[in-house]
Amino acid sequence: MSTRRKFLFSSAAASLATLAGKKMFAAIPENTIKNDPIAISTWDFGREANAEAWKTLSSGGSALDAVEAGVKIPEADPNNNTVGYGGFPDREGHVTLDACIMDEQYRCGSVMCLEHIKHPISVARLVMEKTPHVMLVGEGALQFALANGFHKENLLTPESEKAWKEWLKESKYEPVINIENQQHLPGGPYNHDTIGMLAMDAKGQLSGACTTSGMAFKMRGRVGDSPIIGAGLYVDNAIGAATATGVGEEVIRIVGSFLVVELMRQGYTPKAACKAAVERIVSRNPAKAKTIQVGFLAMNKKGVYGAYALQKGFTYSVKNGKEEKIMKAESKW
Ligand code: SD4
């Protein structure tokens, strides 16, 4: 190619890139911190989980170990009514837990509708590491956990049981927007929600974990997005990672976390990708989208992160070598 042709070619390419950039990234300020490692988690209670993950990340440990250790904090917290021990039960009084984990090699593991085990995330990790499978559910997941040294525990705390019995009086089954940040619900000063955590370690490797007791007082056997790879969590070490919180059915319908990662692959910033996924939910059923909450949280391979939700009130927690903070996500409404 002649020098002049080369010049014209590269100018045209640059203009196109600028145009594409304008279209995709316009007016979306990004929260950018580029010093690895980093842990980000859904909701304000992600702060304690991030702090635990940070012990691993700051000592040169892997993102996989960090996310597992991190989400075990809310799993063990009896005052957190939407994750692990102390989680609100299903409508028949059973606490059933869902969790999944994914690492930088596209390895993943998941448990669904697991009862009596306080740390479903660790069982999910064992499914990933010890079996040729991705998912184990219900009785089979419990059997696998018990065979691998986990112990049966009663996960229904007196507070959760009281809340369930209160709920039974009306048996109103309806997701409540931002239930996780409402202060006056039974069971504690804050009624929290699913934790999804994404981390990048000192080697720049990404991993993620997601764990929940699901929607409060759900139908027996109901499973949401959280333990479904691609819906509640997805990690592509070449591109980035994403996780979701809120009404799982709407996240599953659009394969939300995978969608966010694929949009980042196309060049969207994490926040723009989360926003586009939220818009996808709105486009499917605008009337319904107004009545529910869904939030996405994402991080790309450079440690740039962002979030977006349907409704106001979605918060997320960030921890890196420089700072620890809780952010308010922007929202559609
Ligand atoms: C689910 N996404 O089971 C989870 C739970 C949740 O607000 O985040 N609820 O659908």
Side-chain angles (χ1 to χ4, degrees):
M1 209 185 280
S2 73
T3 311
R4 184 177 148 70
R5 279 191 71 193
K6 262 189 208 153
F7 171 77
L8 287 175
F9 182 77
S10 61
S11 302
S15 307
L16 275 176
T18 309
L19 270 179
K22 270 192 187 139
K23 192 175 165 219
M24 284 196 279
F25 310 132
I28 296 173
E30 202 67 40
N31 300 305
T32 308
I33 297 172
K34 289 201 169 109
N35 50 321
D36 300 337
I38 179 171
I40 60 173
S41 305
T42 53
W43 302 109
D44 53 354
F45 68 92
R47 178 160 56 181
E48 286 80 42
N50 287 352
E52 186 64 26
W54 189 251
K55 292 180 191 166
T56 301
L57 293 173
S58 59
S59 56
S62 71
L64 179 64
D65 287 341
V67 294
E68 182 190 2
V71 303
K72 282 172 81 172
I73 298 296
E75 280 187 344
D77 180 358
N79 295 318
N80 187 319
N81 303 128
T82 55
V83 181
Y85 176 54
F88 284 150
D90 67 16
R91 55 179 60 182
E92 293 177 25
H94 309 274
V95 179
T96 70
L97 304 179
D98 304 326
C100 73
I101 194 161
M102 187 161 187
D103 76 3
E104 78 284 356
Q105 301 173 58
Y106 305 94
R107 297 188 311 162
C108 40
S110 157
V111 288
M112 299 185 189
C113 226
L114 175 62
E115 293 181 50
H116 311 301
I117 303 291
K118 197 184 262 177
H119 290 300
I121 197 67
S122 299
V123 184
R125 181 167 176 176
L126 277 188
V127 172
M128 173 175 99
E129 290 178 338
K130 285 199 161 186
T131 79
H133 309 301
V134 171
M135 294 177 177
L136 288 180
V137 307
E139 269 303 309
L142 177 60
Q143 201 177 312
F144 173 75
L146 296 176
N148 282 282
F150 290 83
H151 300 290
K152 260 187 164 180
E153 290 178 70
N154 175 19
L155 303 181
L156 187 65
T157 56
E159 291 74 24
S160 290
E161 187 170 7
K162 198 168 152 215
W164 168 57
K165 289 196 169 145
E166 201 54 42
W167 175 84
L168 278 178
K169 289 181 189 162
E170 275 196 42
S171 301
K172 197 170 154 212
Y173 187 62
E174 197 172 85
V176 178
I177 290 172
N178 295 332
I179 192 170
E180 50 288 327
N181 276 346
Q182 290 182 17
Q183 300 194 22
H184 305 296
L185 290 164
Y190 286 99
N191 181 13
H192 293 295
D193 194 55
T194 299
I195 185 157
M197 176 185 280
L198 312 173
M200 178 182 284
D201 61 30
K203 291 181 182 157
Q205 311 277 39
L206 298 172
S207 286
C210 188
T211 177
T212 190
S213 53
M215 306 302 290
F217 320 124
K218 61 197 175 187
M219 281 180 75
R220 179 106 177 107
R222 180 268 183 189
V223 172
D225 61 313
S226 303
I228 299 178
I229 297 295
L233 175 75
Y234 196 71
V235 178
D236 184 328
N237 197 46
I239 303 298
T243 190
T245 182
V247 178
E249 284 73 7
E250 305 314 308
V251 178
I252 294 169
R253 227 183 287 292
I254 64 156
V255 200
S257 293
F258 181 72
L259 174 62
V260 171
V261 172
E262 287 307 299
L263 290 168
M264 290 195 288
R265 190 189 308 280
Q266 290 171 29
Y268 282 57
T269 65
K271 185 170 163 186
C274 291
K275 185 170 192 277
V278 163
E279 293 292 354
R280 182 76 59 91
I281 289 176
V282 175
S283 72
R284 292 291 182 266
N285 188 338
K288 185 167 187 195
K290 285 206 167 119
T291 67
I292 58 159
Q293 175 66 302
V294 170
F296 290 105
L297 175 65
M299 176 160 72
N300 71 16
K301 190 64 183 164
K302 292 178 187 152
V304 178
Y305 57 86
Y308 202 84
L310 270 172
Q311 316 289 339
K312 283 193 184 63
F314 174 42
T315 56
Y316 62 100
S317 305
V318 178
K319 169 88 185 118
N320 65 10
K322 280 198 176 148
E323 58 182 347
E324 179 179 73
K325 60 184 177 181
I326 295 175
M327 305 284 294
K328 282 185 185 161
E330 283 178 32
S331 61
K332 170 82 179 164
W333 291 297

